[in-house]
Amino acid sequence: MSVAGVGEFGLIDRVTARLSYGPTVLLGPGDDGALVAAPDARVVASTDVLVEGRHFRRDWSGARDVGHRAAAANLADVAAMGATPTALLVALCIPADLAIGWAEELADGLAAEAATVGASVVGGDMSGSPTLTIAVTALGDLAGRAPVVRSGARPGDVVALAGRTGYAAAGLTVLSRGFRTPRLLVEAYRRPEVPYAAGPQAAGLGATAMIDVSDGLLADLGHVARASGVGIDVRRDAFEVPRQMRDAAQALGVDPYAWLLAGGEDHALAATFPPEVTLPEQWRPIGRVVAGAGVTVDGEPYQGVTGWDHFR
């Protein structure tokens, strides 16, 4: 049965019946607005959008996968501010002939990814559209901490990374060339593994700046460098090429470091720390903040595309 067969409110009933709510949700779907507890008296908010054909393809990813990706893209932004995610609001613009089962599985993926950090899907909106579009707003709680912004990096700080880079970009390349393996890479594209807890952890350690690596490590570190008025130098030898990535790169004629340094959508967290901070295992040093401007690799300008640009 298609979405048109049950109508807007029938679909809303089917989707909301699949959701569960954590302790921060005081009032879920059903009214003009949800009610979410904000014990810190401040709320971190972030919005992202996924458009079919631009951000995902249904022949590459299942509905649950797309739900996980849509949630992760927003939850990672909240974590990058040093906050703990609490809630998601989801707007769906969907073709009338979309199968109901696809929409329900999308909701399952959104809810499951949110649940990994104790957050809940608390509401949203639906509309008909010829292009399947998923817009998500994430809310988060700072628990009394100061937000970690992009503008605090200072020369001498250590640049560190939590999570992995390059895997999702490699998976996207594999899929775009018509292959479905290596599975490690393809699954990384379909469902990113985000180190959510590393965000609040970094805030507690005194991180001076932080960012979600969504568009590519070098491009996103460039945002930090620009906001902070500094330069950032990344060490190439801080990145190990896993066997599956090395083999795929060789087969496809790609430099694997183009994935590692400039590939996006893994949603790793990159942060800068004062040099005296002892970093826990989850955070690995990958470079230094220096006087100057821009991002370099081993002291030299990077020759190549540094990340994703939606309008190029």
Side-chain angles (χ1 to χ4, degrees):
M1 184 182 295
S2 69
V3 168
V6 297
E8 176 185 357
F9 297 105
L11 180 59
I12 290 173
D13 288 342
R14 285 172 173 261
V15 167
T16 55
R18 308 173 81 89
L19 304 178
S20 59
Y21 310 103
T24 61
V25 180
L26 306 180
L27 182 65
D31 281 82
D32 291 307
L35 189 62
V36 180
D40 182 80
R42 298 171 298 170
V43 176
V44 173
S46 179
T47 297
D48 209 342
V49 63
L50 273 70
V51 179
E52 184 176 17
R54 186 66 172 174
H55 301 99
F56 67 93
R57 283 174 42 171
R58 277 184 272 170
D59 58 330
W60 287 356
S61 301
R64 283 187 177 86
D65 297 326
V66 177
H68 278 273
R69 284 186 63 205
N74 291 270
L75 298 170
D77 283 334
V78 170
M81 296 297 294
T84 300
T86 56
L88 295 179
L89 296 162
V90 182
L92 299 178
C93 300
I94 50 183
D97 62 354
L98 183 74
I100 290 175
W102 200 96
E104 291 175 332
E105 290 183 16
L106 173 71
D108 290 342
L110 286 160
E113 188 69 25
T116 64
V117 290
S120 307
V121 179
V122 299
D125 192 20
M126 290 186 183
S127 175
S129 170
T131 303
L132 177 55
T133 304
I134 306 152
V136 181
T137 296
L139 307 178
D141 177 45
L142 286 163
R145 296 180 293 269
V148 185
V149 295
R150 300 178 181 182
S151 57
R154 297 292 178 262
D157 283 353
V158 175
V159 181
L161 187 72
R164 60 192 189 182
T165 62
Y167 286 67
L172 174 60
T173 304
V174 167
L175 288 166
S176 67
R177 301 287 182 90
F179 302 103
R180 294 294 186 269
T181 57
R183 186 174 179 82
L184 172 70
L185 305 180
V186 171
E187 290 304 315
Y189 166 77
R190 289 173 174 160
R191 296 191 188 186
E193 296 181 2
V194 186
Y196 297 116
Q201 180 187 52
L205 290 169
T208 54
M210 186 158 48
I211 192 168
D212 160 38
V213 181
S214 57
D215 294 328
L217 178 64
L218 298 184
D220 288 323
L221 286 177
H223 299 320
V224 173
R226 184 162 50 254
S228 297
V230 297
I232 291 177
D233 187 55
V234 174
R235 298 194 336 267
R236 184 183 171 102
D237 66 6
F239 298 86
E240 180 180 353
V241 182
R243 177 184 57 79
Q244 295 94 327
M245 187 182 293
R246 182 178 63 249
D247 292 346
Q250 184 175 9
L252 299 173
V254 177
D255 177 3
Y257 285 94
W259 291 330
L260 291 166
L261 296 176
E265 296 193 301
D266 284 295
H267 298 292
L269 300 180
T272 59
F273 296 89
E276 65 272 14
V277 171
T278 299
L279 295 177
E281 184 177 352
Q282 190 169 14
W283 287 93
R284 75 177 193 274
I286 61 168
R288 287 275 180 182
V289 179
V290 297
V295 179
T296 54
V297 178
D298 293 333
E300 300 293 335
Y302 181 72
Q303 302 300 319
V305 176
T306 59
W308 174 258
D309 185 322
H310 288 276
F311 298 102
R312 290 182 181 173

